[in-house]
Amino acid sequence: MVARAVVAGCGGYLPETVLTNADLARSVDTSDEWIVQRTGIRERRVAAEGEFTSHLATAAARIALDRAAMLPSELDLIVVATATPDETFPATATRVQDALDMRRGAAFDVQAVCSGFIYALNVADNFIRLGQSEAALVIGAETFSRILDWQDRATCVLFGDGAGAVVLRAEQGEGTAADRGVLSNHLRSDGRHHDLLFVDGGPSSTRTVGHLRMAGRDVFRHAVVNLASVMQEALAANGLTADDIDWVVPHQANLRIIRSTSSKLGMPEEKVIVTVDHHANTSAASIPLALAEAVTDGRIKRGDLCLLEAMGGGFAWGASLVRW
Ligand code: UT7
């Protein structure tokens, strides 16, 4: 028998304010037609003044705990994936810990930008496999609206704010792909590509927060190749094929990337969860938000095999296989 990190509950939270493509076309030289054709995005949510990443994260966490029928006091670990923390320090995870009134265990952040949720899931999964955690909260939460250059039409139309959370509980499994829980995680990074996607500021370099900069076309090209490769690796590591997968839950950056990647794997469109049209790219929050939506509407059911994938700044990318 082996310890498995089984999903006990999942929740998503979006800020109230909706920003449509038409709204953006009033402030930069763009159009609904261009944005929909090139990205699939129709609208995104933007956090209110005074609404921080930790607030979105806490709201998503409360829903996930509720669905798991668990109390914050039962948790012993919180891992928050974010590239837009409330403050440079302390970790946003400790703000969430306090807001939940959780008074034990450990809470810390993981920074892998758009791949953050996969990285955080891997970290929490390792804690559970090693017996260091019995119940962990993994959150992806972002307020990218705060680091966008709202005059740069090539980037400001692409991102949105939000948070998603998953509660993991230690359970014993047989050690086969038939087990429920996280089956395997596959992480990759390549720091040579820094200049293709980065934020031009930070406490140690400019002492400012900075703005997101991206060479979109280059990122696109790398994304399709890297994602297809790491997804294949995840399948092979578990002796599975694309036919065994019930749902692909991709990072939601661009509908064209999602479609190209899944078609490379021979995955039919009906098996791919898409939220990019109404969430845009919420970085580390995009996968848990998509999971929460598909679980709530009844698509993802207990026992379904989900292949999660993401790629972003660094570059950092990865995939996880989770039996729900
Ligand atoms: O989550 C992190 C990972 N990030 C991603 O995965 C993003 C990857 N990249 C992409 O999604 C796409 O490359 C973009 C959506 C960013 C851009 O789409 P594209 O088809 O690669 O367009 P492009 O950058 O090649 O630009 C085509 C044209 C350019 O004009 P010219 O040079 O052909 O005259 C741009 O200036 O589109 C122009 N353009 C726009 N036009 C209207 C760029 N942004 C806009 C805009 N509205 N918002």
Side-chain angles (χ1 to χ4, degrees):
M1 300 292 274
V2 295
R4 291 287 201 194
V6 173
V7 178
C10 175
Y13 181 80
L14 293 164
E16 264 172 42
T17 305
V18 176
L19 195 63
T20 65
N21 292 348
D23 293 333
L24 283 165
R26 282 191 274 278
S27 55
V28 285
D29 182 15
T30 190
S31 64
D32 178 57
E33 192 191 6
W34 190 95
I35 302 172
V36 172
Q37 269 184 11
R38 302 288 178 126
T39 71
I41 299 166
R42 294 180 185 277
E43 61 181 46
R44 71 287 291 141
R45 301 293 182 100
V46 177
E49 200 57 43
E51 189 173 35
F52 303 157
T53 295
S54 67
H55 301 140
L56 308 184
T58 303
R62 287 192 200 286
I63 297 168
L65 283 163
D66 202 45
R67 301 233 169 108
M70 282 171 65
L71 296 169
S73 56
E74 294 175 66
L75 297 169
D76 53 29
L77 177 69
I78 300 178
V79 188
V80 172
T82 188
T84 45
D86 290 13
E87 298 157 313
T88 300
F89 79 77
T92 296
T94 58
R95 308 281 286 197
V96 175
Q97 182 188 28
D98 185 42
L100 292 177
D101 220 14
M102 171 191 162
R103 298 281 173 250
R104 65 184 192 123
F108 58 89
D109 291 356
V110 161
Q111 217 283 43
V113 211
C114 295
S115 304
F117 185 76
I118 302 277
Y119 274 67
L121 188 69
N122 194 158
V123 170
D125 182 38
N126 285 349
F127 268 68
I128 288 176
R129 280 173 191 263
L130 288 172
Q132 206 176 347
S133 166
E134 284 290 317
L137 183 59
V138 182
I139 305 173
E142 303 279 17
T143 47
F144 260 47
S145 62
R146 307 269 152 76
I147 56 164
L148 295 176
D149 173 353
W150 287 98
Q151 303 307 311
D152 176 16
R153 69 175 184 175
T155 53
C156 77
V157 304
L158 303 175
F159 296 90
D161 299 338
V166 158
V167 179
L168 300 175
R169 217 174 8 212
E171 281 182 22
Q172 292 300 309
E174 303 286 341
T176 71
D179 287 345
R180 285 187 68 215
V182 181
L183 299 183
S184 67
N185 303 286
H186 306 266
L187 305 186
R188 294 285 172 271
S189 64
D190 186 345
R192 286 175 299 176
H193 303 296
H194 168 276
D195 293 356
L196 299 180
L197 179 49
F198 66 105
V199 168
D200 61 4
S204 177
S205 53
T206 62
R207 305 177 197 198
T208 62
V209 173
H211 293 111
L212 183 147
R213 306 293 173 203
M214 178 165 71
R217 206 178 304 184
D218 294 319
V219 177
F220 190 112
R221 203 163 36 83
H222 284 277
V224 175
V225 175
N226 289 340
L227 288 171
S229 155
V230 80
M231 288 162 83
Q232 292 282 15
E233 183 186 313
L235 291 173
N238 292 278
L240 300 168
T241 69
D243 289 345
D244 297 310
I245 301 300
D246 295 299
W247 300 104
V248 179
V249 188
H251 170 49
Q252 309 281 324
N254 185 317
L255 189 56
R256 289 186 296 138
I257 295 179
I258 293 173
R259 288 204 171 133
S260 312
T261 310
S262 30
S263 86
K264 257 177 177 276
L265 258 80
M267 209 71 84
E269 266 179 42
E270 314 82 73
K271 285 186 174 185
V272 183
I273 308 292
V274 173
T275 56
V276 69
D277 53 328
H278 53 293
H279 294 169
N281 182 346
T282 56
S283 183
S286 88
I287 291 175
L289 270 170
L291 284 170
E293 189 171 297
V295 170
T296 305
D297 68 22
R299 275 178 290 172
I300 297 180
K301 296 182 194 65
R302 189 185 165 102
D304 281 357
L305 187 57
C306 304
L307 178 54
L308 323 182
E309 51 92 331
M311 136 115 191
F315 292 148
W317 65 101
S320 298
L321 263 172
V322 182
R323 190 173 294 283
W324 209 257

